[in-house]
C-alpha cells in the first residue's frame, strides 16, 4: 500500500552553492523518509560540482550522493514545496506566504576536508531525524 502522492509532504533545502549542506540534508531526508517525503535541493549560486568531502562523509554512512549535481534555485521549486529550509542563502531565497520556512545555521563545508565536514554532516543528520518524526508522525509510531 503506497501513500497518496497528493498528500506527500515536500521539502526544499537551499544553500548558496547546493554542493554541501543542502545536498547532505536532501540525501539524508531521501534515505530516512524512504520516499514518503518529496525532497528537493537547490542553490542561489550553484557550484560546478558537489563538495567531494561532503560526498566522502556521506559515503561513510552508506549514502551515495556522488551522482548529484548542484541545481539553481527556482521560484517554482519554492512554490511546489511545503517546507523550505535555508542554510545560509540570506535574502536570495524567494518568500511565499503559507510556506513553512526554517533557517538552519550550519557551518559551510566549502573548502574543508572530510574531518571538518563530519560534525556538519552529523548535525544535519540529527535535524533531519527530527524533521522526519515531525512530518511523518505515523512512521515514527509504526517503527516501535
Amino acid at each position: 500500500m503506497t501513500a497518496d502522492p497528493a498528500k506527500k509532504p515536500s521539502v526544499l533545502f537551499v544553500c548558496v552553492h547546493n554542493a554541501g549542506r543542502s545536498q547532505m540534508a536532501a540525501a539524508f531526508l531521501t534515505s530516512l523518509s524512504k520516499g514518503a517525503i518529496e525532497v528537493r535541493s537547490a542553490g542561489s549560486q550553484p557550484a560546478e560540482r558537489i563538495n567531494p568531502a561532503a560526498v566522502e562523509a556521506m559515503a561513510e554512512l552508506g549514502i551515495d550522493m556522488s551522482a548529484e549535481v548542484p541545481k539553481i534555485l527556482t521560484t517554482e521549486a519554492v512554490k511546489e514545496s511545503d517546507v523550505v529550509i535555508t542554510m545560509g542563502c540570506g535574502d536570495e531565497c524567494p518568500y511565499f506566504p503559507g510556506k513553512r520556512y526554517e533557517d538552519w545555521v550550519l557551518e559551510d563545508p566549502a573548502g574543508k576536508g572530510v574531518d571538518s565536514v563530519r560534525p556538519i554532516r552529523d548535525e544535519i543528520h540529527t535535524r533531519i531525524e527530527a524533521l522526519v518524526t515531525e512530518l511523518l508522525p505515523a512512521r515514527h509510531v509504526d517503527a516501535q
Side-chain angles (χ1 to χ4, degrees):
M1 189 182 214
T2 58
D4 179 356
K7 301 229 186 276
K8 185 187 287 193
S10 59
V11 177
L12 169 64
F13 296 101
V14 183
C15 66
V16 177
H17 299 297
N18 189 223
R21 294 168 291 187
S22 57
Q23 290 284 355
M24 288 190 287
F28 273 132
L29 187 55
T30 298
S31 175
L32 294 173
S33 71
K34 297 178 177 37
I37 297 173
E38 188 175 340
V39 181
R40 299 178 180 89
S41 71
S44 53
Q45 299 169 25
E48 295 280 320
R49 63 187 181 112
I50 299 293
N51 180 329
V55 171
E56 183 179 343
M58 294 299 284
E60 291 174 352
L61 300 181
I63 298 175
D64 180 9
M65 54 181 228
S66 61
E68 296 297 326
V69 294
K71 295 168 280 306
I72 186 73
L73 176 63
T74 64
T75 302
E76 293 74 31
V78 178
K79 280 184 185 175
E80 294 169 5
S81 300
D82 300 314
V83 180
V84 179
I85 297 175
T86 58
M87 303 171 177
C89 70
D91 297 333
E92 297 183 47
C93 297
Y95 177 83
F96 292 96
K99 302 280 178 209
R100 173 178 157 190
Y101 288 87
E102 289 185 25
D103 185 42
W104 290 0
V105 178
L106 298 160
E107 191 177 344
D108 188 348
K112 296 185 182 347
V114 71
D115 289 340
S116 298
V117 173
R118 283 186 195 109
I120 302 166
R121 173 203 65 196
D122 295 345
E123 173 66 22
I124 292 169
H125 187 233
T126 299
R127 291 176 187 228
I128 294 298
E129 287 178 325
L131 185 65
V132 169
T133 300
E134 203 176 301
L135 295 177
L136 302 173
R139 174 72 52 90
H140 184 68
V141 171
D142 291 344
Q144 294 181 355

